[in-house]
Amino acid sequence: MTGHEADLETVAALLRGEHSAFTGLVRAHQSAFLRLAHAWVRDRADAAEVVQQAWVSALESLATFEGRSSLRTWLFGIVINVARSHVRAHKRTVPLSAPVAEEAIDGPTVEPERFFQDGEWVGHWADWPTPFPSPDSGLERGRLRALLEVAISALPPLQQQVMVLCDVEGLSGEEACNILGISGTHQRVLLHRARARARALLEKNFSDEAKTQ
Amino acid sequence: MSEKSFDQCQEVVELVNEYLGHSLTAEDRAAFEAHLATCPPCTTYLTQMKTVLDVASSLDTDSPLGDVEPQLMALFQHWREKNSSH
């Protein structure tokens, strides 16, 4: 069965009222929905409310799902729309235009002071990056996962959403653009900056740790 | 004609995502890899970024429904009843 056929079968099962189809869908997407919603509303309780409302909206409009995008992409779009409406309705955090301004900044993704600014070695590392532990060990992977969760949730909203969609959920850049309503160029810049910032936050942790040892 | 080269690490780190996404031209990719071959800190930077991507992709795990399960199932049940009454 192709992904498209599986999506249509899931929708048909939901429309038949099968609980197991709904449980499976929730298990597969609940954590991603919460991450995406949190990127907009910046509060765990509000994010949970948004996700619950998104499930209601998804069920209400299920009959209109035509399979032009994957079911997952369609559901993510609903979460984003509900989260945006929630922010607008509650006039929370910052105006919607602000995150775009905040995230559209050009400039280097690694602090210039990490590199020699003049002399023979200009542009070369002055302050070398601290290696991360290998994620091959289960213990270290658990630690890296916890740190990365924190790092991603600290990203500016749009960067956070692009990184969650592309790197955590594995969507293509094009799918992320369609869901978020941004251009391909903007998506690439946001993803580049998000990854660099997440890397920097992890590095700070390991570098601080190395200093105390 | 001389081959293209990336001499500065500061320039190389800005290309890491394009390198990982296979969107560098063949010429840029060769120059990028040539730089890495002689630059341990840029190699560390690339490894760090690969770790970020590897770990990020493992964050997407099926989550236990826990406390929200009864609420969500009630929501589904409500929708189901509303639907079947039409």
Side-chain angles (χ1 to χ4, degrees), chain A residues 66-125:
Chain A
E66 292 173 339
R68 277 182 293 191
S69 64
S70 72
L71 183 58
R72 185 173 65 157
T73 302
W74 184 75
L75 289 168
F76 284 168
I78 291 175
V79 174
I80 296 287
N81 284 338
V82 173
R84 281 179 174 150
S85 304
H86 184 95
V87 170
R88 216 173 287 129
H90 292 76
K91 296 191 168 46
R92 284 275 163 78
T93 63
V94 285
L96 286 182
S97 57
V100 178
E102 178 199 350
E103 296 176 32
I105 303 162
D106 285 336
T109 51
V110 180
E111 310 93 305
E113 57 271 25
R114 301 283 304 266
F115 303 94
F116 289 106
Q117 296 302 301
D118 47 36
E120 186 187 354
W121 296 103
V122 63
H124 287 73
W125 289 95

Side-chain angles (χ1 to χ4, degrees), chain B residues 16-85:
Chain B
V16 163
N17 275 307
E18 287 173 74
Y19 175 75
L20 291 172
H22 306 284
S23 52
L24 288 179
T25 63
E27 187 187 23
D28 283 356
R29 188 171 185 85
F32 183 94
E33 287 174 347
H35 179 98
L36 282 188
T38 58
C39 184
C42 280
T43 304
T44 300
Y45 186 91
L46 177 68
T47 307
Q48 286 181 332
M49 203 57 100
K50 283 180 177 171
T51 301
V52 166
L53 298 191
D54 173 10
V55 176
S57 69
S58 73
L59 293 179
D60 177 35
T61 49
D62 286 6
S63 51
L65 297 185
D67 294 348
V68 297
E69 180 162 12
Q71 274 175 296
L72 290 174
M73 292 323 287
L75 181 154
F76 182 69
Q77 187 61 29
H78 176 73
W79 170 78
R80 196 180 159 198
E81 283 162 11
K82 205 170 81 176
N83 246 21
S84 62
S85 66

